[in-house]
Amino acid sequence: MTQPASAAQQDAPPTTARTPDKPGRRRPLGLRADVRNLSLLGVLAVLVAVGGITRPDQFLDTSNLQLVLTQASVIGVVTVGMTFVITSGGIDLSVGAIVALASVWATTVATQEYGFAGILFTAVVVGLGCGLVNGLLIAYGGMVPFIATLAMLASARGLALQITDGRTQIVGVQSVLDLGVPDAYVLGIPPLVLVFAAVTAVGWLLLNRTTFGRRTVAVGGNAEAARLAGIDVRRQRLYLYLLSGLCCGIAAFLLIVLAGSGQNTNGNLYELDAIAAAIIGGTLLSGGRGTIVGSVLGVLVFTTITNIFALNNLQSDVQQIAKGAIIVAAVLVQRRTARGGEG
């Protein structure tokens, strides 16, 4: 009998469409993954060229490129967690609200009294706590992920507003603020970017080189087949939402460093940006296939678009239209690729 673990490679096809191991099938799938990533790199190169042409004195400036990477780091960490959830066939609409709640809880006066460790610990624990609630409701409560995470979105936003009373909470811990200054850069690379790189590397290894990743893909492809193969589907889903919550907690800390404050409006629309980045990167909304590399490239594409629009003083509504068009195009390409793989 074919083991579900054989389907956990990055960019593997949905489990429902798998056939017994055929040497001739893996190569086209690998080629499609390479083509997809190369296409995203091509889009990114075009965007860099556009930015360089329209604002050569600003866009290509080292400080601006560092800013783009820093901004990508926050949503990028969230996207890594989202990629795992979507790969398993789930969805998490609460990531932005969790980031907001974790950021304001970690920047209260009481928390800041414990310094750097207190802020980091609180942000991570709040993220994990929210992820735990999501996971329990979905895995053991039988709730649909859309409904459960939507409820968490509303609850977390409301609690964040209650904690702050609508005010901005300024961070007074200098060791936290120091991470955002140029003196803290390592070889010109901001510490936040290094954290993002580390999370990406761990996420890639977890998805592509561990049993956890193989189980994630198997559950997303066909949960019933995964259960019959001996995988505890409910426990796996719980772990995945815990992972998503952990990523939100880390992102909240990065956002605190970047903004120097905590606000109940933090993380606004992060859920849409994370889902969009994962989709255009090649992760299937139906589950069964995920790619960390593609998701990271998707984050860089969207962050670069935002930066170019800002430098050219273009309205945000045009930016949102552009993002929407990219998402639609990515989904259409996914559907065409999926149909091609069935033949």
Side-chain angles (χ1 to χ4, degrees), residues 69-70 73-74 77 179-180 190-197 254-255 257-258:
L69 292 176
T70 301
S73 298
V74 180
V77 171
L179 289 177
L192 275 64
V193 178
L194 295 177
V195 173
F196 175 36
L254 298 183
L255 192 56
V257 173
L258 183 62

Side-chain angles (χ1 to χ4, degrees), residues 71-242:
Q71 292 175 336
S73 298
V74 180
I75 185 62
V77 171
V78 175
T79 303
V80 170
M82 182 68 78
T83 299
F84 277 88
V85 171
I86 296 178
T87 301
S88 71
I91 199 73
D92 191 347
L93 301 179
S94 64
V95 291
I98 294 175
V99 169
L101 178 59
S103 69
V104 300
W105 205 322
T107 54
T108 59
V109 174
T111 302
Q112 292 193 49
E113 291 180 355
Y114 294 94
F116 184 101
I119 294 176
L120 176 59
F121 177 79
T122 302
V124 171
V125 168
V126 171
L128 282 171
C130 293
L132 177 63
V133 173
N134 279 338
L136 290 175
L137 290 175
I138 294 167
Y140 294 95
M143 291 188 68
V144 177
F146 181 90
I147 300 300
T149 58
L150 186 62
M152 175 59 72
L153 182 156
S155 301
R157 283 289 178 192
L159 184 55
L161 179 59
Q162 186 177 49
I163 291 174
T164 62
D165 196 23
R167 300 187 180 93
T168 299
Q169 299 178 162
I170 304 300
V171 176
V173 181
Q174 193 59 44
S175 56
V176 173
L177 299 176
D178 286 343
L179 289 177
V181 300
D183 290 341
Y185 292 3
V186 179
L187 299 177
I189 303 176
L192 275 64
V193 178
L194 295 177
V195 173
F196 175 36
V199 171
T200 298
V202 172
W204 186 89
L205 290 172
L206 196 60
L207 183 60
N208 297 285
R209 294 293 184 266
T210 67
T211 302
F212 181 86
R214 290 191 286 271
R215 289 173 177 171
T216 299
V217 174
V219 169
N222 190 322
E224 181 61 20
R227 186 188 66 81
L228 294 175
I231 296 175
D232 190 331
V233 175
R234 293 190 299 178
R235 184 173 62 185
Q236 184 68 18
R237 285 176 174 159
L238 173 62
Y239 288 162
L240 288 165
Y241 282 95
L242 276 172

Side-chain angles (χ1 to χ4, degrees), residues 224-340:
E224 181 61 20
R227 186 188 66 81
L228 294 175
I231 296 175
D232 190 331
V233 175
R234 293 190 299 178
R235 184 173 62 185
Q236 184 68 18
R237 285 176 174 159
L238 173 62
Y239 288 162
L240 288 165
Y241 282 95
L242 276 172
L243 178 60
S244 179
L246 173 62
C247 288
C248 289
I250 296 173
F253 180 76
L254 298 183
L255 192 56
I256 291 171
V257 173
L258 183 62
S261 64
Q263 304 177 55
N264 64 285
T265 56
N266 282 343
N268 188 37
L269 296 181
Y270 272 20
E271 56 277 359
L272 299 183
D273 288 342
I275 293 171
I279 291 173
I280 71 169
T283 299
L284 288 181
L285 266 177
S286 56
R289 186 180 74 197
T291 161
I292 298 296
V293 174
S295 294
V296 170
L297 291 175
V299 168
L300 293 175
V301 166
F302 280 133
T303 307
T304 304
I305 290 175
T306 301
N307 183 259
I308 292 174
F309 273 66
L311 291 179
N312 287 277
N313 297 318
L314 296 176
Q315 296 181 355
S316 59
D317 54 351
V318 180
Q319 173 184 324
Q320 297 302 324
I321 293 173
K323 286 185 177 181
I326 292 174
I327 295 171
V328 171
V331 172
L332 291 176
V333 170
Q334 278 191 1
R335 293 184 61 182
R336 182 176 180 180
T337 302
R339 284 197 295 265

